[in-house]
Amino acid sequence: MTRVDVGRSPAFRFEGGREGVLLVHGLGRGADEMRQLGKGLNRAGFTVVGIELAGHGGTEDELLASGWRDWYASVEAAADELRGQVDRVFVAGSSMGALLALRLAAVQPAWVAGVGVFGVTFRYDGWSAGWAARISFMLPLFKRLGIGRHRRLLQGPPQGFREDRLRDQFGRTALPGAVGVADRSGDSWHALAETVELARDVRRRLPAVTAPCFIAHALDDEIASTGNADLVARHVRGPVEMLLLADSYHMITVDRERRMLIERSADFFDRIAREARASRVAA
């Protein structure tokens, strides 16, 4: 696989206090799905960085030339830079980005004070997934055999949004060089194959996650059932707080209950930071 550049500038940065939050978007999307969350966390006093993962934000060929190790390298590089600028780093991701956030907490535990796990997707087993859930485990094999490079698992409505207006505003945007409106409605088999491999890697590493985890998931998530959130809660070794959202679909960072997600995330991270400061003073 061709290695791609992981040293991109942040997609957005909001200056705040000495507590930093790194935000990680999902597969085939961009940092805009994390921007409102970032602004809300910044209003709560955090310095916030939203990154664009390697291979994303360009052509479909650029995405397909990248893989999950490149995406993770983007996260680790951004976290390493941010931790030199703040006292503590929290990391939060959406969907596939939540897998990357968990991997960072497992691989670099000394770097991560807490994790936001939003709509985490180990399995495509939501109510709209249909046959995709049954073949996803085969996608890495298809990729190794060169099958289906430009085939897609298509997504019809609701495409992650309970709110129609938000679907129109934040829905999947075609990559430059892509061909037509149909390309906005699904993910390449080969890109999804990378997420399957990533999920397998992260699942094995969950017991190495000792940082506190704030797990938020939509009860009616059409892409990934709440079983994905339960998997994290059962296997990480750090403290867990769970938020189940009743009026959202998969894209909880921008769907109807985003304000609740922002408030609860800010409160969770702030409590961890205050406890860490108190412990340091006592020591």
Side-chain angles (χ1 to χ4, degrees), residues 75-94:
V75 175
E76 189 166 283
D80 194 21
E81 181 177 357
L82 180 59
R83 74 190 186 99
Q85 302 163 350
V86 297
D87 294 334
R88 265 166 294 278
V89 172
F90 300 92
V91 59
S94 173

Side-chain angles (χ1 to χ4, degrees), residues 1-20:
M1 177 181 293
T2 302
R3 300 295 294 178
V4 298
D5 180 24
V6 300
R8 300 188 179 197
S9 300
F12 61 80
R13 182 183 177 103
F14 304 131
E15 295 295 341
R18 295 293 303 174
E19 315 295 340

Side-chain angles (χ1 to χ4, degrees), residues 174-197:
L175 294 164
V179 287
V181 176
D183 289 337
R184 303 189 320 183
S185 59
D187 293 301
S188 158
W189 283 14
H190 285 199
L192 285 168
E194 292 295 318
T195 72
V196 172
E197 297 280 24

Side-chain angles (χ1 to χ4, degrees), residues 40-250:
L41 292 171
N42 179 246
R43 286 193 295 270
F46 295 92
T47 291
V48 181
V49 171
I51 64 169
E52 184 174 274
L53 296 172
H56 289 69
T59 66
E60 183 178 68
D61 283 341
E62 287 174 330
L63 176 61
L64 295 179
S66 68
W68 72 261
R69 291 175 180 81
D70 302 306
W71 308 336
Y72 174 72
S74 299
V75 175
E76 189 166 283
D80 194 21
E81 181 177 357
L82 180 59
R83 74 190 186 99
Q85 302 163 350
V86 297
D87 294 334
R88 265 166 294 278
V89 172
F90 300 92
V91 59
S94 173
S95 192
M96 182 272 288
L99 296 175
L100 295 171
L102 286 165
R103 191 175 198 273
L104 180 69
V107 174
Q108 300 290 359
W111 294 12
V112 178
V115 190
V117 184
F118 304 149
V120 65
T121 307
F122 285 93
R123 298 183 298 270
Y124 295 88
D125 60 352
W127 55 263
S128 76
W131 65 276
R134 295 191 290 274
I135 72 157
S136 60
F137 73 97
M138 298 179 62
L139 293 176
L141 174 62
F142 291 169
K143 182 172 183 178
R144 286 193 293 272
L145 295 175
I147 298 171
R149 175 178 171 84
H150 293 292
R151 295 197 66 176
R152 293 174 175 271
L153 291 181
L154 299 179
Q155 297 175 15
Q159 296 180 333
F161 299 90
R162 188 180 284 271
E163 178 66 55
D164 292 342
R165 176 183 59 84
L166 294 171
R167 186 182 309 122
D168 293 339
Q169 183 177 356
F170 293 103
R172 185 182 302 273
T173 302
L175 294 164
V179 287
V181 176
D183 289 337
R184 303 189 320 183
S185 59
D187 293 301
S188 158
W189 283 14
H190 285 199
L192 285 168
E194 292 295 318
T195 72
V196 172
E197 297 280 24
L198 171 62
R200 291 170 180 168
D201 177 89
V202 174
R203 182 166 183 167
R204 291 192 297 268
R205 295 179 186 271
L206 286 177
V209 178
T210 56
C213 292
F214 176 54
I215 305 170
H217 212 94
L219 283 168
D220 291 332
D221 191 318
E222 83 286 6
I223 301 298
S225 76
T226 55
N228 290 268
D230 293 337
L231 178 67
V232 178
R234 289 197 310 271
H235 292 288
V236 297
R237 291 196 294 122
V240 167
E241 182 173 316
M242 183 86 77
L243 172 64
L244 296 177
L245 298 166
D247 196 26
S248 299
Y249 287 151
H250 186 63

